[in-house]
Short mmCIF file of all heavy atoms in Angstrom, two decimals:
data_model
loop_
_atom_site.label_atom_id
_atom_site.label_comp_id
_atom_site.label_asym_id
_atom_site.label_seq_id
_atom_site.Cartn_x
_atom_site.Cartn_y
_atom_site.Cartn_z
N PRO A 1 0.83 -1.20 0.00
CA PRO A 1 0.00 0.00 0.00
C PRO A 1 0.87 1.26 0.00
O PRO A 1 2.01 1.23 0.45
CB PRO A 1 -0.80 -0.10 1.29
CG PRO A 1 0.09 -0.87 2.21
CD PRO A 1 0.87 -1.83 1.34
N ALA A 2 0.31 2.34 -0.50
CA ALA A 2 1.03 3.61 -0.52
C ALA A 2 1.17 4.14 0.91
O ALA A 2 0.22 4.10 1.69
CB ALA A 2 0.30 4.63 -1.39
N PHE A 3 2.37 4.57 1.24
CA PHE A 3 2.65 5.13 2.56
C PHE A 3 2.14 6.55 2.62
O PHE A 3 2.35 7.33 1.70
CB PHE A 3 4.16 5.10 2.81
CG PHE A 3 4.59 5.71 4.11
CD1 PHE A 3 4.58 4.97 5.27
CD2 PHE A 3 5.01 7.03 4.15
CE1 PHE A 3 4.99 5.53 6.47
CE2 PHE A 3 5.43 7.60 5.35
CZ PHE A 3 5.42 6.84 6.52
N SER A 4 1.48 6.90 3.73
CA SER A 4 1.02 8.27 3.95
C SER A 4 1.41 8.72 5.35
O SER A 4 0.87 8.23 6.34
CB SER A 4 -0.50 8.36 3.80
OG SER A 4 -0.96 9.63 4.22
N ILE A 5 2.34 9.64 5.43
CA ILE A 5 2.76 10.17 6.73
C ILE A 5 1.62 10.94 7.37
O ILE A 5 1.46 10.91 8.60
CB ILE A 5 4.05 11.02 6.60
CG1 ILE A 5 4.71 11.23 7.98
CG2 ILE A 5 3.77 12.34 5.93
CD1 ILE A 5 5.35 10.00 8.55
N ASP A 6 0.80 11.61 6.58
CA ASP A 6 -0.36 12.34 7.12
C ASP A 6 -1.30 11.39 7.85
O ASP A 6 -1.72 11.67 8.98
CB ASP A 6 -1.13 13.07 6.01
CG ASP A 6 -0.34 14.20 5.38
OD1 ASP A 6 0.33 14.95 6.13
OD2 ASP A 6 -0.39 14.34 4.15
N GLU A 7 -1.61 10.27 7.23
CA GLU A 7 -2.50 9.28 7.85
C GLU A 7 -1.89 8.72 9.13
O GLU A 7 -2.60 8.53 10.13
CB GLU A 7 -2.81 8.15 6.88
CG GLU A 7 -3.73 8.54 5.76
CD GLU A 7 -3.95 7.42 4.75
OE1 GLU A 7 -3.55 6.25 5.03
OE2 GLU A 7 -4.51 7.70 3.68
N ARG A 8 -0.62 8.46 9.12
CA ARG A 8 0.05 7.90 10.30
C ARG A 8 -0.02 8.87 11.48
O ARG A 8 -0.27 8.45 12.61
CB ARG A 8 1.49 7.57 9.98
CG ARG A 8 1.61 6.52 8.89
CD ARG A 8 2.37 5.38 9.37
NE ARG A 8 2.39 4.35 8.34
CZ ARG A 8 3.16 3.32 8.40
NH1 ARG A 8 3.96 3.16 9.42
NH2 ARG A 8 3.12 2.41 7.46
N PHE A 9 0.21 10.15 11.23
CA PHE A 9 0.17 11.12 12.32
C PHE A 9 -1.27 11.42 12.76
O PHE A 9 -1.51 11.63 13.94
CB PHE A 9 0.94 12.39 11.93
CG PHE A 9 2.40 12.30 12.25
CD1 PHE A 9 3.27 11.66 11.37
CD2 PHE A 9 2.92 12.82 13.42
CE1 PHE A 9 4.62 11.55 11.66
CE2 PHE A 9 4.27 12.71 13.72
CZ PHE A 9 5.12 12.08 12.85
N ARG A 10 -2.20 11.44 11.81
CA ARG A 10 -3.61 11.63 12.19
C ARG A 10 -4.07 10.51 13.11
O ARG A 10 -4.81 10.74 14.06
CB ARG A 10 -4.50 11.70 10.95
CG ARG A 10 -4.69 13.10 10.42
CD ARG A 10 -5.88 13.21 9.47
NE ARG A 10 -5.86 12.27 8.37
CZ ARG A 10 -5.24 12.45 7.21
NH1 ARG A 10 -4.58 13.56 6.99
NH2 ARG A 10 -5.28 11.54 6.28
N ALA A 11 -3.62 9.28 12.84
CA ALA A 11 -3.99 8.13 13.68
C ALA A 11 -3.46 8.29 15.10
O ALA A 11 -4.01 7.70 16.04
CB ALA A 11 -3.46 6.84 13.06
N ARG A 12 -2.43 9.10 15.27
CA ARG A 12 -1.88 9.36 16.60
C ARG A 12 -2.41 10.66 17.20
O ARG A 12 -1.90 11.14 18.22
CB ARG A 12 -0.36 9.42 16.52
CG ARG A 12 0.22 8.07 16.15
CD ARG A 12 1.70 7.92 16.45
NE ARG A 12 2.54 9.04 16.12
CZ ARG A 12 3.52 9.00 15.24
NH1 ARG A 12 3.77 7.89 14.57
NH2 ARG A 12 4.27 10.05 15.02
N GLY A 13 -3.41 11.24 16.53
CA GLY A 13 -4.05 12.44 17.08
C GLY A 13 -3.45 13.76 16.67
O GLY A 13 -3.81 14.80 17.21
N VAL A 14 -2.55 13.75 15.70
CA VAL A 14 -1.96 15.00 15.21
C VAL A 14 -2.84 15.52 14.09
O VAL A 14 -2.93 14.90 13.02
CB VAL A 14 -0.51 14.78 14.71
CG1 VAL A 14 0.04 16.05 14.09
CG2 VAL A 14 0.37 14.29 15.85
N GLY A 15 -3.49 16.65 14.32
CA GLY A 15 -4.40 17.19 13.32
C GLY A 15 -3.71 17.99 12.23
O GLY A 15 -4.09 17.93 11.07
N ASP A 16 -2.71 18.76 12.60
CA ASP A 16 -2.00 19.61 11.64
C ASP A 16 -0.54 19.18 11.60
O ASP A 16 0.28 19.61 12.42
CB ASP A 16 -2.12 21.08 12.06
CG ASP A 16 -1.46 22.03 11.09
OD1 ASP A 16 -0.81 21.57 10.11
OD2 ASP A 16 -1.56 23.25 11.31
N LEU A 17 -0.23 18.32 10.66
CA LEU A 17 1.11 17.75 10.56
C LEU A 17 2.16 18.83 10.33
O LEU A 17 3.23 18.81 10.94
CB LEU A 17 1.18 16.70 9.45
CG LEU A 17 2.53 16.04 9.22
CD1 LEU A 17 3.04 15.38 10.50
CD2 LEU A 17 2.45 15.05 8.09
N HIS A 18 1.86 19.81 9.50
CA HIS A 18 2.86 20.85 9.20
C HIS A 18 3.24 21.61 10.47
O HIS A 18 4.43 21.81 10.74
CB HIS A 18 2.34 21.79 8.13
CG HIS A 18 2.34 21.17 6.77
ND1 HIS A 18 2.52 21.91 5.63
CD2 HIS A 18 2.20 19.90 6.35
CE1 HIS A 18 2.48 21.11 4.57
NE2 HIS A 18 2.29 19.89 4.99
N SER A 19 2.26 22.03 11.24
CA SER A 19 2.55 22.73 12.49
C SER A 19 3.33 21.84 13.44
O SER A 19 4.27 22.29 14.10
CB SER A 19 1.24 23.18 13.17
OG SER A 19 0.61 24.15 12.39
N HIS A 20 2.97 20.58 13.50
CA HIS A 20 3.64 19.62 14.38
C HIS A 20 5.12 19.49 14.00
O HIS A 20 5.99 19.44 14.87
CB HIS A 20 2.92 18.27 14.30
CG HIS A 20 3.40 17.25 15.26
ND1 HIS A 20 3.15 17.31 16.61
CD2 HIS A 20 4.14 16.12 15.07
CE1 HIS A 20 3.71 16.27 17.21
NE2 HIS A 20 4.31 15.53 16.30
N VAL A 21 5.38 19.43 12.70
CA VAL A 21 6.76 19.33 12.22
C VAL A 21 7.55 20.57 12.64
O VAL A 21 8.66 20.46 13.18
CB VAL A 21 6.80 19.13 10.69
CG1 VAL A 21 8.19 19.36 10.13
CG2 VAL A 21 6.28 17.74 10.33
N TYR A 22 6.98 21.76 12.43
CA TYR A 22 7.68 23.00 12.81
C TYR A 22 7.88 23.09 14.32
O TYR A 22 8.96 23.48 14.79
CB TYR A 22 6.92 24.22 12.31
CG TYR A 22 7.09 24.46 10.83
CD1 TYR A 22 6.00 24.39 9.96
CD2 TYR A 22 8.34 24.78 10.29
CE1 TYR A 22 6.16 24.62 8.60
CE2 TYR A 22 8.50 25.01 8.92
CZ TYR A 22 7.40 24.92 8.10
OH TYR A 22 7.55 25.15 6.75
N GLU A 23 6.87 22.72 15.07
CA GLU A 23 6.96 22.79 16.55
C GLU A 23 8.06 21.90 17.09
O GLU A 23 8.64 22.17 18.14
CB GLU A 23 5.62 22.41 17.17
CG GLU A 23 4.53 23.45 16.98
CD GLU A 23 3.14 22.92 17.29
OE1 GLU A 23 2.99 21.77 17.77
OE2 GLU A 23 2.17 23.67 17.03
N ASN A 24 8.36 20.82 16.39
CA ASN A 24 9.38 19.88 16.83
C ASN A 24 10.74 20.06 16.15
O ASN A 24 11.66 19.29 16.41
CB ASN A 24 8.88 18.44 16.62
CG ASN A 24 7.81 18.09 17.63
OD1 ASN A 24 8.12 17.82 18.79
ND2 ASN A 24 6.56 18.12 17.23
N GLY A 25 10.85 21.07 15.29
CA GLY A 25 12.12 21.35 14.63
C GLY A 25 12.54 20.30 13.61
O GLY A 25 13.72 20.07 13.40
N TRP A 26 11.56 19.68 12.96
CA TRP A 26 11.84 18.60 12.00
C TRP A 26 11.78 19.05 10.54
O TRP A 26 11.75 18.22 9.64
CB TRP A 26 10.82 17.47 12.18
CG TRP A 26 10.81 16.81 13.51
CD1 TRP A 26 11.82 16.73 14.41
CD2 TRP A 26 9.71 16.11 14.08
NE1 TRP A 26 11.42 16.02 15.51
CE2 TRP A 26 10.12 15.63 15.34
CE3 TRP A 26 8.40 15.84 13.66
CZ2 TRP A 26 9.29 14.90 16.17
CZ3 TRP A 26 7.57 15.11 14.49
CH2 TRP A 26 8.02 14.64 15.73
N GLU A 27 11.79 20.35 10.30
CA GLU A 27 11.53 20.81 8.94
C GLU A 27 12.63 20.49 7.92
O GLU A 27 12.37 20.47 6.73
CB GLU A 27 11.20 22.31 8.91
CG GLU A 27 12.18 23.22 9.57
CD GLU A 27 11.91 23.46 11.04
OE1 GLU A 27 11.49 22.55 11.76
OE2 GLU A 27 12.14 24.60 11.48
N HIS A 28 13.82 20.21 8.34
CA HIS A 28 14.90 19.92 7.39
C HIS A 28 15.43 18.49 7.56
O HIS A 28 16.62 18.24 7.35
CB HIS A 28 16.04 20.93 7.56
CG HIS A 28 15.61 22.33 7.30
ND1 HIS A 28 15.30 22.79 6.04
CD2 HIS A 28 15.39 23.37 8.14
CE1 HIS A 28 14.93 24.05 6.12
NE2 HIS A 28 14.97 24.42 7.38
N THR A 29 14.54 17.59 7.93
CA THR A 29 14.94 16.21 8.15
C THR A 29 13.92 15.25 7.56
O THR A 29 12.79 15.62 7.26
CB THR A 29 15.05 15.90 9.66
OG1 THR A 29 13.75 16.03 10.24
CG2 THR A 29 16.01 16.82 10.37
N VAL A 30 14.36 14.02 7.41
CA VAL A 30 13.44 12.94 7.07
C VAL A 30 12.87 12.44 8.40
O VAL A 30 13.63 12.12 9.32
CB VAL A 30 14.17 11.79 6.33
CG1 VAL A 30 13.25 10.60 6.12
CG2 VAL A 30 14.73 12.29 5.00
N LEU A 31 11.55 12.41 8.52
CA LEU A 31 10.93 11.97 9.76
C LEU A 31 11.31 10.51 10.03
O LEU A 31 11.33 9.67 9.12
CB LEU A 31 9.42 12.12 9.68
CG LEU A 31 8.90 13.55 9.46
CD1 LEU A 31 7.38 13.57 9.46
CD2 LEU A 31 9.45 14.51 10.50
N ASP A 32 11.59 10.22 11.28
CA ASP A 32 12.05 8.87 11.66
C ASP A 32 11.09 7.79 11.20
O ASP A 32 11.52 6.73 10.72
CB ASP A 32 12.23 8.78 13.18
CG ASP A 32 13.41 9.59 13.68
OD1 ASP A 32 14.29 9.94 12.88
OD2 ASP A 32 13.45 9.87 14.90
N GLU A 33 9.80 8.02 11.34
CA GLU A 33 8.82 7.01 10.96
C GLU A 33 8.87 6.71 9.47
O GLU A 33 8.78 5.55 9.05
CB GLU A 33 7.42 7.46 11.37
CG GLU A 33 6.37 6.40 11.16
CD GLU A 33 5.05 6.73 11.84
OE1 GLU A 33 4.99 7.63 12.68
OE2 GLU A 33 4.06 6.05 11.51
N ALA A 34 9.01 7.75 8.67
CA ALA A 34 9.10 7.57 7.22
C ALA A 34 10.40 6.85 6.85
O ALA A 34 10.41 5.93 6.03
CB ALA A 34 9.01 8.91 6.50
N ARG A 35 11.50 7.29 7.45
CA ARG A 35 12.79 6.64 7.15
C ARG A 35 12.74 5.15 7.48
O ARG A 35 13.14 4.31 6.68
CB ARG A 35 13.94 7.29 7.90
CG ARG A 35 15.28 6.63 7.57
CD ARG A 35 16.45 7.29 8.24
NE ARG A 35 16.68 8.64 7.78
CZ ARG A 35 17.29 8.97 6.63
NH1 ARG A 35 17.71 8.01 5.82
NH2 ARG A 35 17.48 10.23 6.31
N ALA A 36 12.22 4.83 8.64
CA ALA A 36 12.14 3.42 9.06
C ALA A 36 11.28 2.62 8.08
O ALA A 36 11.65 1.50 7.69
CB ALA A 36 11.59 3.32 10.47
N PHE A 37 10.15 3.18 7.68
CA PHE A 37 9.27 2.48 6.75
C PHE A 37 9.96 2.24 5.42
O PHE A 37 10.00 1.11 4.91
CB PHE A 37 7.96 3.25 6.53
CG PHE A 37 7.05 2.60 5.54
CD1 PHE A 37 6.16 1.62 5.94
CD2 PHE A 37 7.10 2.94 4.18
CE1 PHE A 37 5.32 0.99 5.02
CE2 PHE A 37 6.27 2.31 3.26
CZ PHE A 37 5.39 1.33 3.68
N PHE A 38 10.51 3.29 4.83
CA PHE A 38 11.10 3.17 3.50
C PHE A 38 12.40 2.35 3.50
O PHE A 38 12.68 1.64 2.54
CB PHE A 38 11.30 4.54 2.86
CG PHE A 38 10.02 5.20 2.46
CD1 PHE A 38 9.70 6.47 2.92
CD2 PHE A 38 9.11 4.57 1.63
CE1 PHE A 38 8.50 7.09 2.56
CE2 PHE A 38 7.92 5.17 1.25
CZ PHE A 38 7.61 6.43 1.72
N GLU A 39 13.19 2.45 4.57
CA GLU A 39 14.40 1.63 4.63
C GLU A 39 14.05 0.15 4.71
O GLU A 39 14.71 -0.69 4.11
CB GLU A 39 15.27 2.03 5.82
CG GLU A 39 16.06 3.30 5.55
CD GLU A 39 16.95 3.70 6.71
OE1 GLU A 39 16.80 3.17 7.84
OE2 GLU A 39 17.81 4.57 6.48
N ALA A 40 13.01 -0.18 5.47
CA ALA A 40 12.62 -1.59 5.64
C ALA A 40 11.81 -2.14 4.47
O ALA A 40 11.69 -3.36 4.31
CB ALA A 40 11.81 -1.75 6.93
#
């Protein structure tokens, strides 16, 4: 199935993924969850 980071974060209760990324300082990185999925 196609991977969707939006769906994964919504399932954890994150409504606004973009704001969440900025709030956590992840804007210039590959998110750990995505990296783990695609590497595996």
Side-chain angles (χ1 to χ4, degrees):
F3 177 85
S4 171
I5 197 71
D6 293 318
E7 288 176 11
R8 298 237 176 169
F9 273 83
R10 270 197 307 274
R12 294 198 317 242
V14 175
D16 182 356
L17 179 57
H18 287 211
S19 294
H20 187 72
V21 166
Y22 284 116
E23 289 165 6
N24 287 283
W26 299 335
E27 53 271 38
H28 299 289
T29 64
V30 173
L31 299 183
D32 290 342
E33 187 167 346
R35 180 177 295 281
F37 178 86
F38 289 124
E39 282 181 346

